[in-house]
Amino acid sequence: MLIGIPRETRPGETRVAATPETIKKLTASGKHAVIVASGAGTASSIPDAAYEAAGARIGDAREALHADLVLKVRAPVGDELASLARGSALVGLLDPFDAAGIEALARAGITGFALERLPRITRAQSMDVLSSQANIAGYKAIILAANEYGRFMPMLMTAAGTVKAARVLVLGVGVAGLQAIATAKRLGAVIEASDVRPSVKDQVESLGGKWVDVPYETDEEREIAEGVGGYARPMPPAWMQRQGAIIAERCKQMDIVVTTALIPGRAAPRLVKAETVAAMKPGAIIVDLAVEQGGNVEGAEAGRIVERNGVKIVGLTNLPALVAADASALYARNVLNFVALSLNLKSGEYAIARDDEIVQATLVCDNGQVVAQK
Ligand code: NAD
């Protein structure tokens, strides 16, 4: 079988779906060949020569897309789709909520695996691209905030006087939020955090953060807040209103606010209103990691840093792509572990593991048809 590693063509996409390390493992059996599009790894600091040394052949864009099994970061764009071979398999972040995109893949005769749909079970953890990339986004959010912030993060006592530690609020404490807390803590900030899921409180406190509680007033609120499958559900308007009031008060005290709240398949919940931003301290920084899903912060703009009354709102997108080399290394290992469900890396035996619940959950199109989510 020929395995293709295309160069990603979306603007700003610096990641690549395979590294020399994973290519060695994919080809170890001697039964499969890998073709890497020339320059596919350049933005992740992997030169073509490193792929060649690992046993891959360097080809052009079409050759890499026209393989039997194509490993990608993002769903095909532009003329990429036309280069994919009918009957081939495609693994990547295929954007399963983009119905038109999945339909187009189905029509092209692709067997598509969308890694966003990996179930959150222990066995799938080593393949969990959302977690590996959210971890990086949480780290980079704090680094970006520190860069924009006109003051120190840690408390300093110097001969010229004392500098106060930055106060950081993290809203939404999933994988990205936890890493944002851990990174801000390492830089010496004082941290507060909040989430809709009550189970997160202990995690925040164990990282040295203070929990900002938004109490539940009904059993219905408490039940919805538990979420499903590790993911949050939309909260009732009454709870959102109480949350908004509590957050507005906390934001007035903050130097940096990082928001990461997401609900799969829906617009991101609005957590910080324009009037809350207007009441924040001049020089404060907000980083909205949910900006591509509509934003947690009113006034955030995707791809831009905007200033509102002296408060900067960072709406840069695809933060993992700003840490390209490590993002690619982790993504490529996730992809390898997923492929290894169907490909025996030792013997080289390959058959799509259709009985495996992980493979089933990620399958979005097959035999010319869109596969409905169970
Ligand atoms: P996510 O990216 O979907 O959302 C980020 C956070 O936003 C979540 O913590 C969510 O509860 C929160 N949120 C949503 N709406 C909110 C609102 N209105 N107000 C405040 N917060 C809100 O979540 P994620 O990072 O993918 O992780 C979700 C959970 O799944 C985490 O607890 C994580 O540890 C767990 N997880 C488990 C596994 C596994 O067991 N295999 C793998 C990955 C993640």
Side-chain angles (χ1 to χ4, degrees):
M1 163 171 78
L2 184 61
I3 303 171
I5 314 298
R7 188 170 68 81
E8 298 296 321
T9 57
R10 276 183 201 241
E13 188 51 81
T14 56
R15 294 170 291 176
V16 59
T19 58
E21 173 195 314
T22 63
I23 283 173
K24 272 187 203 150
K25 292 182 176 156
L26 288 167
T27 53
S29 67
K31 293 206 176 125
H32 308 291
V34 176
I35 180 152
V36 178
S38 179
T42 310
S44 288
S45 312
I46 309 170
D48 287 353
Y51 283 120
E52 278 181 312
R57 187 163 74 75
I58 303 299
D60 63 24
R62 191 177 174 280
E63 285 176 292
L65 285 161
H66 205 70
D68 305 303
L69 169 63
V70 177
L71 308 181
K72 257 186 120 309
V73 179
R74 306 290 287 273
V77 281
D79 52 10
E80 286 180 337
L81 186 61
S83 296
L84 293 171
R86 271 201 105 69
S88 66
L90 172 67
V91 176
L93 291 164
L94 302 185
D95 204 351
F97 293 108
D98 171 15
I102 300 298
E103 176 70 44
L105 282 175
R107 272 201 310 273
I110 307 302
T111 299
F113 300 97
L115 297 174
E116 296 95 328
R117 276 214 201 155
L118 282 163
R120 294 204 137 168
I121 55 174
T122 308
R123 197 163 58 86
Q125 271 178 354
S126 66
M127 310 160 201
D128 189 343
V129 287
L130 289 186
S131 290
S132 76
Q133 305 301 297
N135 194 16
I136 296 172
Y139 160 83
K140 193 66 181 181
I142 292 295
I143 302 300
L144 286 174
N147 196 39
E148 292 300 326
Y149 186 48
R151 299 171 193 271
F152 272 107
M153 292 284 266
M155 196 265 275
L156 288 182
M157 285 156 87
T158 79
T162 301
V163 172
K164 276 199 203 156
R167 302 189 69 163
V168 175
L169 175 66
V170 176
L171 297 174
V173 192
V175 179
L178 284 173
Q179 185 55 254
I181 295 174
T183 305
K185 188 80 192 163
R186 285 183 203 116
L187 289 174
V190 174
I191 295 143
E192 297 183 22
S194 191
D195 195 290
V196 60
R197 293 176 302 120
S199 56
V200 178
K201 178 175 186 272
D202 290 348
Q203 296 171 15
V204 168
E205 289 173 349
S206 72
L207 286 171
K210 185 171 169 234
W211 177 248
V212 176
D213 196 36
V214 182
Y216 310 115
E217 285 185 353
T218 63
D219 288 344
E220 188 208 3
E221 286 181 3
R222 195 182 302 276
E223 197 231 302
I224 296 174
E226 296 291 341
V228 271
Y231 290 110
R233 291 158 64 194
M235 288 301 281
W239 186 90
M240 290 298 290
Q241 219 162 22
R242 287 202 304 284
Q243 182 198 43
I246 291 170
I247 286 181
E249 275 313 302
R250 296 319 307 143
C251 281
K252 282 185 201 162
Q253 312 294 325
M254 293 300 141
D255 299 303
I256 293 171
V257 176
V258 173
T259 70
T260 80
L262 290 176
I263 298 169
R266 290 178 178 258
R270 187 48 59 83
L271 307 184
V272 181
K273 299 207 174 71
E275 59 257 36
T276 303
V277 176
M280 286 175 69
K281 296 191 263 185
I285 309 295
I286 304 175
V287 182
D288 186 349
L289 285 189
V291 70
E292 274 182 286
Q293 285 76 32
N296 293 141
V297 181
E298 199 171 341
E301 289 182 25
R304 296 188 59 204
I305 300 176
V306 293
E307 199 165 326
R308 310 257 184 253
N309 307 318
V311 176
K312 278 190 195 165
I313 309 176
V314 179
L316 301 185
T317 56
N318 197 359
L319 300 198
L322 302 178
V323 192
D326 277 333
S328 293
L330 300 183
Y331 182 86
R333 281 189 208 129
N334 290 148
V335 168
L336 174 76
N337 291 328
F338 176 77
V339 169
L341 296 172
S342 301
L343 172 66
N344 185 320
L345 298 177
K346 276 200 189 123
S347 69
E349 203 179 309
Y350 176 71
I352 293 173
R354 290 177 182 278
D355 294 338
D356 189 307
E357 65 172 312
I358 298 176
V359 173
Q360 282 173 359
T362 54
L363 186 66
V364 285
C365 54
D366 196 18
N367 285 325
Q369 304 286 323
V370 172
V371 176
Q373 188 170 17
K374 284 189 188 137

